[in-house]
Amino acid sequence: MTVERDVMEYDVLVVGAGPAGLAAACRLKQKAAEAGKEIGVCVVEKGSEIGAHILSGAVFEPRALNELFPNWKELGAPLNTPVTRDDVYLFRSATSAIKLPNAFVPKTMHNEGNYIISLGNLCRWLGQQAEALGVEIYPGFAAQEILIDESNIVRGVQIGDMGVDHNGQPKEGFYTPGIELRAKYTLFAEGCRGHLGKRLLARYDLAKDADPQHYAIGLKEIWEIDPAKHQPGLVVHGAGWPLDDANPGGSFLYHAENNQVLVGLIVDLSYTNPYLSPFDEFQRFKQHPVAKQYLDGGKRISYGARAICKGGFNSLPKMVFPGGALIGCDLGTMNFSKIKGNHTAMKSGMLAADAAADALLKGSEGGDELNAYVEMFKSSWLYDELYRSRNFGPAIHKYGAFFGGAFNYLDQNWFNGKSPLTLHDRIPDYTTLKLAADSKKIEYPKADNKISFDKLSSVFISSTNHEEDQPVHLKLTDPGIPINKNLPMYSEPAQRYCPAGVYEVIGDTEKKFQINAQNCVHCKTCDIKDPAQNINWVAPEGSGGPNYGSM
Amino acid sequence: MKALVSVKRVVDYNVRIQVKPDGSGVVTDGVKMSMNPFDEIAMEEAVRLKEKGKVTEIVAVTIGGAKCEETLRTALAFGADRAVHVKEEGDIQPLTAASALAAVFKKEDAKLFLLGKQAIDDDANQTGQMVAALLDLGQATFASKVDIDDNKITVTREVDAGLETLELDLPAIVTTDLRLNEPRYLKLPDIMKAKKKPLEAISFEALGVKPAAGLKTLKTTAPAKRSKGVMVKTVDELVTALKGKGLL
């Protein structure tokens, strides 16, 4: 079927209105204004509004924001809670924990000068700044295909069609073909494991010289707690229980504004036990006295989850291809040693914007590789920061939380991240699962509906919604694998790693793999962790997915 | 023929409503806001009437603070030709809203006023009715079908006993129900064009409207939590349980 598609043309197209994409858009307009010229910038976002799909801790380092908007305070940026105290715990069991003395904490984990924020709200604010600078932002439209011309140059994206039924047929009176957005340069800022970013990596073989990317799933809840227990600015990080060295990760608990506590667990997707359920580990974590002391008597108001890229420096792919670049977590700029990726995402977007603006202002027609972006990246603080942290993740994978942590303390505090040693972690996360037969089944405690909850009531408060009658956006390359291979080998781990209850194995005698796509919170974990790499996440109809408030 | 459509900015229907801890209302900060779904249906109907050649101009109107401009832009992307923003911050009472909308209707000299039957935030279901009373015009509420012929409008209403069909002289007030139509998808180029369509701001004062203070919200509370269900094995057990609760 050939479809007439409208076309809109811009100088720069940004895919994704997160911190990287919006910082890039603002920077492009600032550069154009400085030069007294026009650069047309468009941002598309699959969420129903800016911020709807944004989820982050977040302790925010304002370095990149200071550069982008030195007067952010005057402009009313929502950075309202300076960090006042850092507590770091090593959790030993369900009841005990040791608080690490400050001197033994890797210095990348100190947060003086940082703020506890809602990244969703910061993105909404960045969106306002971008629109004031003249950027066109279109939320509710999902980029579905990359437009690549016969010379192998990226020319933009095609928006997904709307009004298509579950069989892929146009719905009478509703079918709305997605338009083509074309640009001289396209910046991909979809966040971790972007579905177009993934295709770009393959098409242009961008990751051939890098270590495999490493991932984690972050689960987060917002709680309103008893004002008497609330200590705005308190940051609590933890390692250890309920996870362990074979299934590593860490926890966070931040006291934000308005009597809110942001609590979460980050589980590395290199975990080995197929019976592990990140969601249930998180629910269990909240029962630990260190967390429960604050949550008790409080009220949970929001829930969400998102995968993050934690491979860092060693996993960085080539950043550019003809006609565009990867920025932010689509590239993988998170600094795992700081557990922060927002300032680095913004900086990468700003660097790409600088390069694109310089080229356009010199009259470039685009379509080339933005090598200046790579050069600017190499001489930036971002490169320096990621380089110094390159060993942090691999050390914990190789030596465990305790000895890896000790290595990181020495590497960061004694060598400043500049020791001659570089550790590599070359095992992709999807290959790490042990067979179910060789693994210990985990019995998780039942939800008490006070501190811990079940999955469905959690997804409910993520305000997730998808148009029901549309094609399933979680595509199985081989529909037989879940039941024929994953089930006998790994007890089909999708049932457990999905934080939204999308995947179920149903039926008593005849087993069936059911995909409840409407529940999907767009975290991308299935696309990453499926041992057969058989699940392909593609964008559903625009506006679908969670409607996060202040996540 | 000119049609006026009122649109209200409300908390999006997908968002789970949170009551403010002090009970003074519901949380709207950092919450996704959208056009009231019944108003979308009114907008869609106006556009369909225009496509059929029955309506020549569509004017969208809203009342509220600066952010309500977004909702008007959505209406313009739907197909409204221009928009009127009655710009007033703070809480607006139903009668005040109805008075302002009536004043805009008169000022515009429109022939048809389409409104959602109710807004999903306060579920008041009275604005259309009050506007009709204030203007002393005919009203047809809960419309599930609308036809215009010359100077008359035929409206099918959903009533308890079935369907009721009314014929009204224009100008008239029509409030729209869920089954009237299913709104279309907004197109990206239309959203872009909407940014350039005319949008006029006007105040209560300029409309000669004095804010009424008829209602005072005493308290907002969340519905009581449903208590957990019990599984029964037999009919006898069910009967005993119901009797135990005094329900049989």
Side-chain angles (χ1 to χ4, degrees):
Chain A
M1 186 173 68
T2 39
V3 180
E4 279 286 299
R5 297 187 186 276
D6 287 334
V7 175
M8 279 161 69
E9 294 197 39
Y10 294 89
D11 291 315
V12 181
L13 171 66
V14 180
V15 180
L22 291 170
C26 290
R27 189 78 186 145
L28 282 158
K29 283 292 185 182
Q30 288 174 341
K31 293 273 284 190
E34 279 165 27
K37 289 189 180 163
E38 262 300 311
I39 295 180
V41 184
C42 173
V43 181
V44 281
E45 162 59 41
K46 68 180 163 60
S48 63
E49 62 161 2
I50 300 177
H53 290 182
I54 296 290
L55 184 149
S56 182
V59 174
F60 182 73
E61 183 177 317
R63 188 168 186 179
L65 181 64
N66 288 339
E67 292 177 5
L68 187 63
F69 291 108
N71 58 339
W72 57 260
K73 249 186 194 133
E74 271 164 57
L75 294 171
L79 274 60
N80 303 323
T81 314
V83 175
T84 51
R85 201 175 96 207
D86 270 303
D87 285 354
V88 180
Y89 285 90
L90 191 58
F91 288 93
R92 317 241 312 168
S93 71
T95 49
S96 84
I98 305 168
K99 191 164 149 183
L100 294 185
N102 226 0
F104 287 105
V105 173
K107 69 180 181 188
T108 49
M109 292 190 56
H110 291 259
N111 281 302
E112 297 94 342
N114 296 338
Y115 294 82
I116 299 172
I117 65 157
S118 148
L119 185 66
N121 288 346
L122 181 66
C123 286
R124 288 184 181 96
W125 178 85
L126 279 170
Q128 288 166 10
Q129 308 311 310
E131 286 192 318
L133 288 164
V135 176
E136 291 180 29
I137 308 179
Y138 298 110
F141 292 92
Q144 190 62 278
E145 301 290 338
I146 309 164
L147 301 175
I148 299 178
D149 71 8
E150 59 286 353
S151 322
N152 208 26
I153 296 171
V154 172
R155 295 294 184 188
V157 300
Q158 182 210 305
I159 299 299
D161 295 348
M162 302 213 202
V164 178
D165 74 9
H166 61 284
N167 293 318
Q169 294 304 311
K171 284 188 263 186
E172 182 71 34
F174 291 98
Y175 177 64
T176 311
I179 70 166
E180 287 188 0
L181 292 170
R182 293 189 195 158
K184 293 172 181 159
Y185 295 107
T186 307
L187 304 179
F188 290 83
E190 303 162 281
C192 169
R193 194 79 166 192
H195 78 120
L196 301 181
K198 180 178 150 184
R199 284 188 233 171
L200 288 165
L201 291 176
R203 167 109 190 190
Y204 296 100
D205 204 8
L206 301 174
K208 65 174 188 289
D209 299 324
D211 286 357
Q213 185 57 269
H214 294 285
Y215 303 90
I217 175 174
L219 303 113
K220 176 183 168 185
E221 290 175 356
I222 303 179
W223 282 67
E224 217 159 64
I225 65 155
D226 178 359
K229 298 177 188 169
H230 187 239
Q231 303 175 44
L234 172 61
V235 166
V236 183
H237 282 125
W241 187 90
L243 303 167
D244 56 37
D245 285 345
N247 308 287
S251 56
F252 64 85
L253 189 148
Y254 307 145
H255 289 246
E257 55 194 319
N258 302 330
N259 296 319
Q260 286 187 350
V261 156
L262 320 174
V263 59
L265 186 72
I266 296 169
V267 180
D268 286 14
L269 290 179
S270 61
Y271 72 81
T272 54
N273 185 341
Y275 290 113
L276 184 138
S277 157
F279 174 85
D280 291 292
E281 295 295 344
F282 175 40
Q283 297 306 316
R284 181 147 82 162
F285 164 72
K286 289 184 291 173
Q287 300 283 4
H288 195 284
V290 169
K292 197 178 175 181
Q293 59 176 329
Y294 300 115
L295 304 179
D296 222 358
K299 191 176 150 219
R300 183 175 77 142
I301 56 177
S302 194
Y303 165 83
R306 182 72 172 95
I308 56 175
C309 292
K310 51 181 274 288
F313 186 85
N314 299 336
S315 302
L316 281 178
K318 189 179 168 195
M319 305 156 72
V320 293
F321 45 83
L326 294 167
I327 59 176
C329 267
D330 226 352
L331 175 67
T333 53
M334 190 184 101
N335 179 346
F336 187 55
S337 76
K338 290 184 176 175
I339 342 174
K340 285 182 192 61
N342 297 330
H343 67 295
T344 51
M346 286 179 71
K347 181 66 179 177
S348 71
M350 287 152 67
L351 292 168
D354 279 335
D358 288 348
L360 290 165
L361 293 170
K362 278 186 210 138
S364 162
E365 282 305 308
D368 54 324
E369 292 195 4
L370 280 170
N371 290 318
Y373 166 38
V374 183
E375 294 311 312
M376 286 185 217
F377 168 73
K378 281 186 179 155
S379 52
S380 71
W381 56 256
L382 175 57
Y383 180 92
D384 182 57
E385 184 177 323
L386 294 179
Y387 177 77
R388 286 173 197 236
S389 308
R390 71 198 180 286
N391 289 333
F392 203 95
I396 290 177
H397 277 191
K398 276 189 189 324
Y399 310 132
F402 187 78
F403 290 105
F407 175 92
N408 284 331
Y409 162 72
L410 291 173
D411 198 37
Q412 297 300 321
N413 293 26
W414 291 58
F415 291 100
N416 224 351
K418 296 215 157 164
S419 74
L421 189 67
T422 295
L423 302 178
H424 289 276
D425 181 354
R426 296 201 170 103
I427 304 163
D429 291 347
Y430 68 88
T431 63
T432 56
L433 284 182
K434 287 189 180 149
L435 292 175
D438 303 332
S439 306
K440 201 176 153 219
K441 234 180 167 152
I442 308 174
E443 292 292 339
Y444 289 104
K446 262 200 146 160
D448 65 10
N449 290 319
K450 290 188 181 83
I451 299 291
S452 55
F453 302 89
D454 64 20
K455 257 188 205 177
L456 287 183
S457 65
S458 302
V459 178
F460 179 61
I461 57 168
S462 68
S463 303
T464 297
N465 186 47
H466 290 88
E467 162 62 39
E468 270 173 54
D469 189 14
Q470 65 168 306
V472 171
H473 71 279
L474 302 144
K475 313 259 184 217
L476 301 179
T477 311
D478 175 352
I481 283 183
I483 298 300
N484 302 335
K485 285 197 170 154
N486 283 355
L487 188 60
M489 288 170 76
Y490 306 106
S491 184
E492 185 46 274
Q495 304 174 76
R496 289 172 296 277
Y497 60 61
C498 173
V502 168
Y503 301 100
E504 285 180 287
V505 175
I506 54 171
D508 291 329
T509 45
E510 187 131 341
K511 300 283 184 197
K512 199 180 148 230
F513 189 61
Q514 178 165 301
I515 303 178
N516 309 308
Q518 301 99 305
N519 278 7
C520 175
V521 294
H522 296 204
C523 77
K524 319 283 172 72
T525 302
C526 53
D527 193 295
I528 296 164
K529 186 62 176 170
D530 179 42
Q533 291 291 282
N534 184 45
I535 303 175
N536 193 28
W537 192 101
V538 300
E541 187 171 282
S543 280
N547 282 286
Y548 295 140
S550 304
M551 278 291 202
Chain B
M1 189 180 77
K2 191 193 280 184
L4 185 67
V5 181
S6 67
V7 293
K8 186 177 183 186
R9 184 173 186 263
V10 298
V11 174
D12 187 83
Y13 73 100
N14 287 313
V15 171
R16 208 187 65 147
I17 303 291
Q18 302 275 353
V19 174
K20 284 184 188 163
D22 65 1
S24 64
V26 301
V27 177
T28 53
D29 284 348
V31 166
K32 187 183 181 234
M33 308 292 280
S34 306
M35 184 189 291
N36 173 38
F38 291 107
D39 297 344
E40 279 189 355
I41 292 170
M43 239 355 276
E44 174 69 29
E45 197 60 24
V47 174
R48 288 185 188 187
L49 288 170
K50 194 178 168 194
E51 285 167 352
K52 283 184 204 152
K54 308 279 186 179
V55 163
T56 49
E57 188 187 12
I58 303 170
V59 180
V61 58
T62 197
I63 309 170
K67 284 186 175 161
C68 296
E69 193 181 318
E70 284 170 24
T71 314
L72 285 177
R73 292 288 171 204
T74 306
L76 291 166
F78 254 110
D81 298 287
R82 53 193 184 80
V84 177
H85 185 179
V86 183
K87 216 168 180 176
E88 295 289 340
E89 298 288 343
D91 184 42
I92 291 150
Q93 303 247 329
L95 184 57
T96 316
S99 308
L101 294 176
V104 172
F105 189 76
K106 258 197 219 160
K107 183 170 172 279
E108 290 287 340
D109 194 22
K111 284 282 175 297
L112 174 64
F113 198 162
L114 286 164
L115 306 86
K117 67 166 180 178
Q118 68 195 68
I120 61 166
D121 52 0
D122 53 19
D123 281 337
N125 187 345
Q126 55 190 1
T127 308
Q129 293 88 326
M130 289 199 289
V131 170
L134 289 167
L135 293 170
D136 200 17
L137 290 175
Q139 58 171 304
T141 51
F142 311 108
S144 65
K145 192 162 179 279
V146 171
D147 260 321
I148 293 180
D149 211 358
D150 290 332
N151 227 12
K152 292 202 187 305
I153 182 164
T154 314
V155 178
T156 305
R157 310 176 61 227
E158 296 191 354
V159 291
D160 285 349
L163 299 174
E164 178 186 54
T165 307
L166 302 177
E167 189 184 79
L168 291 85
D169 288 329
L170 291 169
I173 314 297
V174 175
T175 73
T176 56
D177 211 332
L178 197 62
R179 274 168 287 275
L180 178 58
N181 62 49
E182 225 182 297
R184 66 194 65 194
Y185 289 96
L186 296 184
K187 292 186 179 134
L188 214 152
D190 293 338
I191 296 174
M192 188 178 71
K193 282 178 211 146
K195 291 185 179 174
K196 295 188 180 106
K197 286 188 181 176
L199 189 150
E200 167 202 3
I202 195 164
S203 65
F204 279 159
E205 207 183 357
L207 287 170
V209 171
K210 285 201 181 71
L215 295 171
K216 189 176 159 198
T217 302
L218 299 179
K219 205 176 170 199
T220 308
T221 47
K225 264 202 183 139
R226 232 182 88 186
S227 55
K228 238 184 165 175
V230 195
M231 288 292 278
V232 289
K233 287 197 185 74
T234 62
V235 175
D236 288 349
E237 221 180 295
L238 175 66
V239 171
T240 319
L242 288 173
K243 275 188 178 157
K245 289 192 181 285
L247 296 167
L248 265 185

